[in-house]
Amino acid sequence: YNLNKSILFNVFSYIIGCVSLFTLFICTYIYPSGGLIPFVNLKFTVFIFAISTCILFSKWSGKAFYKYMAAIIGFFMCHSECVTIYKNIPSMEYIISLGWVLYSGLSTIYGIIKNKKFLIRTGIVLSVLTIFRIFIYDLSAVEMIYKLIAFLALGVILMLVSYIYTSNKKKN
């Protein structure tokens, strides 16, 4: 009995996927995020459920699309939780960019170490988006010395990721 070809599996997949996306939409955009405790709220639970569903679909169907979708939903979860932190503590104005940097960097490094190509690709694309966000949005109102420090830190981080990638590629 092949689960991948089963009509019941396909129907179940679409129903669970639609329910996950609907609840994700309801919890992210309609449910108020002010006053929530980060990582201990309904939004976080729904994001985890959606990521778990994508991972299960990926394993059952063998399609890489669901792996990418899980990584992207994880990015949105990180962004949503950083927005929650920012709304609770407005003085942490760069927390969203920091969350983006951490998520994209950790997913890239984890993908390199575990040799997961979808995580490497997703992490690199998210890193590029993060770099654009930081240099277009965050650094627009910052003094020149901080921009210089940010560019130097970016160079060091990119060299470190490149070193890890090439050293791991030589091992394989």
Side-chain angles (χ1 to χ4, degrees):
Y1 184 71
N2 189 354
L3 187 60
N4 293 340
K5 306 285 184 200
S6 170
I7 294 173
L8 180 64
F9 172 74
N10 288 332
V11 170
F12 179 72
S13 297
Y14 289 121
I15 290 172
I16 293 295
C18 289
V19 168
S20 294
L21 290 175
F22 179 73
T23 0
L24 193 59
F25 174 75
I26 294 295
C27 289
T28 303
Y29 294 106
I30 296 174
Y31 189 74
S33 63
L36 291 178
I37 302 170
F39 306 110
V40 185
N41 54 49
L42 183 61
K43 282 193 313 185
F44 185 75
T45 306
V46 171
F47 274 117
I48 294 296
F49 178 73
I51 291 169
S52 303
T53 303
C54 288
I55 291 170
L56 284 175
F57 288 170
S58 171
K59 290 192 183 292
W60 285 340
S61 69
K63 295 181 181 177
F65 168 76
Y66 294 115
K67 292 179 184 178
Y68 287 103
M69 185 179 250
I72 297 299
I73 291 173
F75 176 74
F76 285 125
M77 177 183 68
C78 177
H79 175 77
S80 174
E81 293 301 315
C82 289
V83 167
T84 302
I85 292 170
Y86 176 68
K87 285 183 178 181
N88 289 331
I89 309 169
S91 63
M92 297 183 73
E93 56 195 27
Y94 299 115
I95 191 71
I96 296 172
S97 297
L98 180 64
W100 284 27
V101 166
L102 288 175
Y103 185 82
S104 62
L106 290 175
S107 65
T108 304
I109 290 172
Y110 185 76
I112 290 170
I113 291 171
K114 294 294 186 177
N115 201 17
K116 306 276 185 184
K117 292 190 187 296
F118 77 95
L119 279 178
I120 296 171
R121 291 180 186 140
T122 306
I124 290 172
V125 168
L126 292 176
S127 295
V128 169
L129 287 174
T130 302
I131 290 168
F132 281 131
R133 176 189 163 60
I134 289 171
F135 290 114
I136 291 173
Y137 180 74
D138 291 337
L139 291 181
S140 62
V142 176
E143 295 178 25
M144 186 58 75
I145 187 73
Y146 295 117
K147 287 181 185 180
L148 177 68
I149 293 170
F151 279 114
L152 289 173
L154 174 66
V156 169
I157 290 170
L158 290 176
M159 287 173 36
L160 180 66
V161 169
S162 173
Y163 173 75
I164 292 171
Y165 181 75
T166 55
S167 67
N168 192 28
K169 195 163 187 136
K170 287 179 183 176
K171 289 179 186 176
N172 295 333

